[in-house]
Amino acid sequence: MKTVLLLAPAFLDLYKDVVAELVKQGYKVEYIQDKSFKIDPYLIRIKQSSRFKELFYNLFLCFYWLKIIFRKREKWKNIDILFTINGMSFHPILLFFLKRKNKNLKAYLYLWDRTYENYRFERHFKYFDRVATFDRIDAEIYKIGFMPNYWIPYKDQKDECYEVFAFGAYRKDRYELFSKIKSFYTKNTCENYIFIYVRQQKIDFVWKLKQLIKRILRRNNDSLESFVYDKTLLSHDSLSPKDFREKVYCSKCIIDTNNNFQEGMTPRFMWALGAGKKIITTNANVKKYPFYDESRIMIADDSLNIEKFQVFMNTPIRHISDSLISVYRIDNWLKFIIGDNI
């Protein structure tokens, strides 16, 4: 039995899906979290990089991994595969240690985040036997493999509880879209789950003073405090990854909002696609994907109105070839990334 060391972020508990599938495929799995650090100078969007900061950060990562390796040296003696997802905390000293123990070790990198104009993942590419990304533009620029996020078959099919499911942390564009879609149902008795998540904020003098300073300096004009909002759209209760996915599975239509600096499809989009749901997405790049069909997927742009929305919701989903979607099922997703090892 081969052993996989999985280095992956804890975001949305997605690593648990990968661990479960690797075990199902007959692997022993060791997991360690891929962390992000505030002192990381490689995040392009915040423009804090400098040669000195990079040297300091790499030295920091080196000692960070040396401490972990010292603790795990017995457990990690027989690692056959290093499977890294994102790898923001990766340092080549980890690979050096693993290959000293097993010179035939294979290393694979998959990106759940974008490289171009976002984060300098490309500095790690040379250390891996295969690199793939969820972002089509990255794949074209850096000449690496392209594979969208995975979906998982859901065995316990549930009745549809909601007409529309939309949930996410506050962003102005997301709030405006959710608000518009919710307004389509003001005179409708359909059950929906449409909420913007906002952490419970203690409203005290210090908080009010900070907001006043921001307004005076005209900073953070997109913040929730800077305009009048619908309180019924807000929720202080977060959803666990499990609850989030279950609501995807028991809804007719899923609202998907992507980051404007990414081309790739979100996990929520792929879960909804695999579950055969209707999807309304802000990512117009979906038209470039082979599974795109207007009866299944609608682009949320400025032209979205109640007439278009109702036509889309009432149009039966046309059947498309199962092969266009099954290629992204998690078992096939892993085969693409790890290849002959699966």
Side-chain angles (χ1 to χ4, degrees):
M1 177 185 290
K2 288 185 177 181
T3 302
V4 176
L5 175 58
L6 176 64
L7 171 63
F11 175 69
L12 289 178
D13 285 348
L14 296 176
Y15 76 93
K16 293 181 179 180
D17 298 332
V18 180
V19 170
E21 183 60 30
L22 286 167
V23 171
K24 183 180 177 181
Q25 295 287 344
Y27 285 90
K28 180 181 177 183
V29 182
E30 294 285 336
Y31 168 72
I32 186 163
Q33 183 180 351
D34 178 36
K35 295 184 177 181
S36 59
F37 298 98
K38 291 182 178 179
I39 61 172
D40 189 341
Y42 294 107
L43 188 60
I44 297 170
R45 287 182 290 117
I46 62 173
K47 300 178 181 178
Q48 66 172 13
S49 182
S50 71
R51 185 62 179 162
F52 172 76
K53 288 180 179 178
E54 290 177 12
L55 288 171
F56 175 79
Y57 183 64
N58 280 295
L59 187 62
F60 163 78
L61 282 182
C62 183
F63 282 102
Y64 169 78
W65 279 108
L66 283 173
K67 287 193 294 183
I68 294 174
I69 289 168
F70 181 77
R71 294 199 312 267
K72 303 280 188 177
R73 62 189 185 278
E74 292 300 319
K75 257 191 169 183
W76 289 0
K77 282 196 301 186
N78 300 305
I79 300 295
D80 300 288
I81 298 168
L82 172 64
F83 184 12
T84 301
I85 296 176
N86 279 5
M88 293 179 78
S89 62
F90 171 83
H91 190 280
I93 197 162
L94 170 64
L95 200 57
F96 175 76
F97 167 79
L98 295 175
K99 286 196 170 183
R100 279 188 62 191
K101 301 296 180 180
N102 182 359
K103 64 181 181 180
N104 295 317
L105 177 137
K106 295 293 183 180
Y108 303 99
L109 174 64
Y110 180 77
L111 300 178
W112 270 339
D113 214 338
R114 189 173 186 177
T115 301
Y116 180 65
E117 295 183 344
N118 179 48
Y119 188 85
R120 289 183 53 198
F121 291 112
E122 79 281 359
R123 74 188 195 276
H124 292 151
F125 291 175
K126 62 185 177 183
Y127 300 110
F128 292 88
D129 297 290
R130 185 178 301 156
V131 180
T133 177
F134 88 120
D135 193 280
R136 186 188 299 274
I137 293 176
D138 270 4
E140 293 172 355
I141 292 174
Y142 299 101
K143 311 300 180 187
I144 56 179
F146 172 63
M147 172 57 75
N149 281 304
Y150 65 82
W151 61 272
I152 295 179
Y154 194 64
K155 297 178 181 178
D156 302 322
Q157 290 296 331
K158 293 187 175 182
D159 294 334
E160 290 181 348
C161 305
Y162 305 109
E163 179 91 351
V164 172
F165 170 60
F167 188 86
Y170 172 76
R171 285 202 326 247
K172 188 176 181 181
D173 61 325
R174 180 178 284 157
Y175 173 87
E176 290 173 347
L177 176 61
F178 286 14
S179 181
K180 178 185 284 190
I181 290 173
K182 189 173 183 179
S183 72
F184 296 159
Y185 286 96
T186 53
K187 296 180 181 180
N188 198 308
T189 57
C190 289
E191 186 74 19
N192 296 306
Y193 195 99
I194 304 175
F195 290 104
I196 291 288
Y197 171 67
V198 180
R199 285 190 302 174
Q200 186 74 50
Q201 177 67 53
K202 183 180 179 182
I203 308 298
D204 55 16
F205 174 76
V206 175
W207 182 86
K208 290 180 179 180
L209 181 61
K210 286 181 179 179
Q211 299 308 312
L212 178 61
I213 293 171
K214 287 178 182 178
R215 290 179 188 179
I216 292 172
L217 298 177
R218 294 185 178 181
R219 292 179 181 173
N220 205 20
N221 288 333
D222 287 346
S223 69
L224 193 60
E225 294 80 17
S226 65
F227 65 96
V228 178
Y229 54 87
D230 177 7
K231 291 184 179 180
T232 65
L233 198 61
L234 306 184
S235 172
H236 296 305
D237 298 319
S238 62
L239 288 178
S240 69
K242 180 182 178 182
D243 289 340
F244 191 100
R245 195 176 300 191
E246 285 186 353
K247 281 185 167 52
V248 168
Y249 292 140
C250 70
S251 301
K252 178 180 178 180
C253 179
I254 312 304
I255 310 302
D256 172 64
T257 50
N258 70 313
N259 288 314
N260 56 14
F261 59 86
Q262 292 179 336
E263 192 272 357
M265 310 316 296
T266 65
R268 120 177 15 91
F269 182 98
M270 298 307 293
W271 297 341
L273 180 73
K277 305 298 182 179
K278 281 181 173 285
I279 307 168
I280 297 176
T281 180
T282 57
N283 193 344
N285 293 297
V286 70
K287 291 183 177 181
K288 301 175 184 177
Y289 289 72
F291 51 70
Y292 176 74
D293 183 273
E294 290 183 349
S295 69
R296 182 186 299 265
I297 301 167
M298 183 180 186
I299 309 299
D301 54 24
D302 294 338
S303 68
L304 178 62
N305 57 42
I306 190 167
E307 289 79 18
K308 287 186 176 181
F309 177 78
Q310 288 176 341
V311 168
F312 174 72
M313 293 296 290
N314 293 325
T315 301
I317 294 177
R318 285 190 293 268
H319 176 76
I320 61 174
S321 173
D322 291 341
S323 63
L324 294 178
I325 297 177
S326 64
V327 66
Y328 310 116
R329 194 177 59 225
I330 191 166
D331 56 326
N332 292 323
W333 179 84
L334 274 173
K335 286 176 184 177
F336 179 87
I337 298 167
I338 298 183
D340 297 337
N341 290 291
I342 291 287

